[in-house]
Amino acid sequence: MMEAVARQGMVLMGCGKMGSAMLAGWLKGSLSPKAVWVKDPNPSDWLQASGVQINTDLPDAPAVALIAVKPQMMGEALPQMSALGGGDTLVISVAAGTPISKFEDTFGADTPIIRAMPNTPAAVGRGITAIIGNAKVTETHLQLAEDLLSAVGQVVRLESETQMDAVTAVSGSGPAYVFHLIETMAAAGEAEGLSPDLALTLARATVAGAGALAEEAGEGPDQLRVNVTSPNGTTQAALEVLMNEEDGFPVLLRRAIKAAADRSKELSRD
């Protein structure tokens, strides 16, 4: 699939943290910098040294146009790319809260458009991205999007765009929940007599290690939890607090994820 990108080229609109992470992955692979055109108002030193074509005239029919600008910049960015609509160029958006219909207004309903929701661990190649396409998207388009987005982690396909709000709430916003868990674990460790540095080191490594184990183990997270919980031991004492159905993790996370999903729906309507 990437042969088409190498032959026809691709356009990257926006090269901030997410755009840079993806571009670095592509260039680390087999994609030549000469096949990439980047539009960015403030190109970083790394971008300028990468060998890609920056803020020049765009090719007439690139294989892919990937939009990685912030939602508030969309009104300025999209008109610069509208000429790429209506043809064979696949448009991929990683902009949060912007529905496919918004891009169809700019590029036309005959344009294949894929909406993608990555998350911030993409910066270290450990992200996960959910994708969904409009009616013009084919299996070939989806496979091409997967090839490109897998440069920064896993890729999953959705059944409908309505699922994107839940994806935003779980994986899009999810890293912030985990970072807050690390914060609160470290603070609790301090309260029990650990130094701030030691508490943070323990909390950070524990969360990172548990996440890696959850991904690689053949057992589900429920069984992994059971495996580390001795009857009447320290872990059970903690879990009796955390798993309380009145004010523990189950209640708090359901409320938190619902709040994020509801806000995502509101932003999509703005």
Side-chain angles (χ1 to χ4, degrees), residues 143-163:
Q143 188 59 59
L144 177 54
E146 287 189 2
D147 289 346
L148 288 169
L149 296 168
S150 63
V152 292
Q154 300 178 54
V155 180
V156 295
R157 299 185 186 185
L158 303 183
E159 296 175 358
S160 72
E161 191 177 8
T162 58
Q163 295 176 304

Side-chain angles (χ1 to χ4, degrees), residues 119-136:
N119 61 4
T120 54
V124 293
R126 294 296 303 273
I128 186 163
T129 303
I131 62 174
I132 186 69
N134 69 353
K136 291 297 179 179

Side-chain angles (χ1 to χ4, degrees), residues 47-106:
L47 178 60
Q48 295 184 63
S50 67
V52 303
Q53 299 167 81
I54 305 170
N55 296 330
T56 62
D57 291 339
L58 300 180
D60 292 333
V64 178
L66 195 146
I67 302 167
V69 301
K70 295 180 179 179
Q72 59 267 31
M73 299 174 61
M74 201 67 70
E76 179 182 348
L78 288 186
Q80 300 179 49
M81 303 179 71
S82 60
L84 300 179
D88 295 327
T89 298
L90 169 64
V91 175
I92 303 175
S93 166
V94 298
T98 307
I100 289 174
S101 59
K102 175 74 173 179
F103 296 101
E104 289 181 334
D105 289 344
T106 297

